[in-house]
């Protein structure tokens, strides 16, 4: 009984050390560089400098999503939200992880993309653990999808939609809530 208790404490200490190491890694590799990027956004002398710094911030976030997910060959994408009048688009310009290029655009004029814009407007995240189980399939029949599970998170405030951050993986169940 004593051995089991000692072993349990040692396991808990090891898990705590790992959690601290992960926190320190996040702090050093994501949060500290982001503070530098935010400083660049705020102090940029012109709009071009601000846009470049904002792009660097988006790339850092997309990179960190893949890095801290710890799922082999996962891919993260950021879709910019663009709108003019009734026409809305989500355009992917930034991605990290698996090297296969993601879908580059969703359009509100395409009836197959209606659900993604509803997700954005409701500002609700979505997890699909296995897209093969969807009836009817979300994607056009001729569209090859090279992932089986994904998470989508709208990037928005209550007043404005900025975009959509996604994470996908190759096999069903690799991404969990």
């Amino acid at each position: 009984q004593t051995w089991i208790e000692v072993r349990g404490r040692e396991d808990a200490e090891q898990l705590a050390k790992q959690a601290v190491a992960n926190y320190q890694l996040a702090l050093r590799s994501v949060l500290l560089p982001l503070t530098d990027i935010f400083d660049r956004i705020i102090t940029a002398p012109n709009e071009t400098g601000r846009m470049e710094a904002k792009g660097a911030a988006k790339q850092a976030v997309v990179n960190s999503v893949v890095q801290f997910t710890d799922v082999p060959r996962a891919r993260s994408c950021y879709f910019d939200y663009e709108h003019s009048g009734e026409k809305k688009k989500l355009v992917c310009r930034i991605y990290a992880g698996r090297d296969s290029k993601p879908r580059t655009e969703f359009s509100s004029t395409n009836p197959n993309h209606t659900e993604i814009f509803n997700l954005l407007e409701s500002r609700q995240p979505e997890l699909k653990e296995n897209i093969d189980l969807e009836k009817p399939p979300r994607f056009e029949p001729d569209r090859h999808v090279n992932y089986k599970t994904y998470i989508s998170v709208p990037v928005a405030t209550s007043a404005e939609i900025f975009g959509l951050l996604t994470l996908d993986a190759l096999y069903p169940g690799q991404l969990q809530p």
Side-chain angles (χ1 to χ4, degrees):
Q1 182 66 26
T2 302
W3 181 84
I4 290 172
E5 290 173 6
V6 168
R7 184 67 185 157
R9 274 195 304 273
E10 288 173 351
D11 289 347
E13 288 173 5
Q14 185 63 32
L15 288 173
K17 286 179 185 176
Q18 184 63 42
V20 167
N22 287 343
Y23 172 78
Q24 290 172 337
L25 176 64
L27 184 65
R28 282 192 301 270
S29 64
V30 177
L31 297 179
L32 292 177
L34 276 177
T35 58
D36 179 54
I37 292 170
F38 293 148
D39 181 58
R40 286 176 35 210
I41 292 169
I42 294 167
T43 61
N46 55 42
E47 188 58 28
T48 302
R50 274 189 291 284
M51 293 305 291
E52 288 174 2
K54 286 178 181 179
K58 290 176 187 177
Q59 187 67 60
V61 169
V62 169
N63 291 347
S64 68
V65 168
V66 171
Q67 179 182 358
F68 291 108
T69 301
D70 200 29
V71 172
R73 303 197 59 226
R75 176 181 59 198
S76 179
C77 308
Y78 180 77
F79 292 83
D80 281 311
Y81 180 68
E82 299 174 355
H83 56 91
S84 57
E86 291 297 309
K87 187 172 183 188
K88 302 170 191 167
K89 291 191 312 186
L90 283 168
V91 181
C92 180
R93 294 187 179 94
I94 299 171
Y95 68 97
R98 191 171 66 254
D99 62 357
S100 60
K101 189 172 173 107
R103 169 191 295 270
T104 56
E105 187 173 308
F106 292 94
S107 173
S108 63
T109 60
N110 183 332
N112 292 318
H113 301 166
T114 303
E115 192 176 334
I116 198 83
F117 289 96
N118 291 341
L119 174 84
L120 264 181
E121 290 165 14
S122 70
R123 290 159 173 79
Q124 293 296 311
E126 178 179 58
L127 165 66
K128 292 290 183 180
E129 291 186 44
N130 186 350
I131 64 171
D132 288 340
L133 299 179
E134 284 193 13
K135 302 292 184 225
R138 166 178 268 177
F139 304 101
E140 302 91 83
D142 61 339
R143 167 92 173 120
H144 173 70
V145 177
N146 62 356
Y147 55 88
K148 297 298 180 186
T149 182
Y150 69 87
I151 297 172
S152 297
V153 180
V155 179
T157 64
S158 60
E160 186 175 357
I161 298 171
F162 299 100
L164 184 71
L165 182 63
T166 66
L167 175 68
D168 63 63
L170 295 173
Y171 303 105
Q174 279 187 301
L175 302 176
Q176 299 293 318

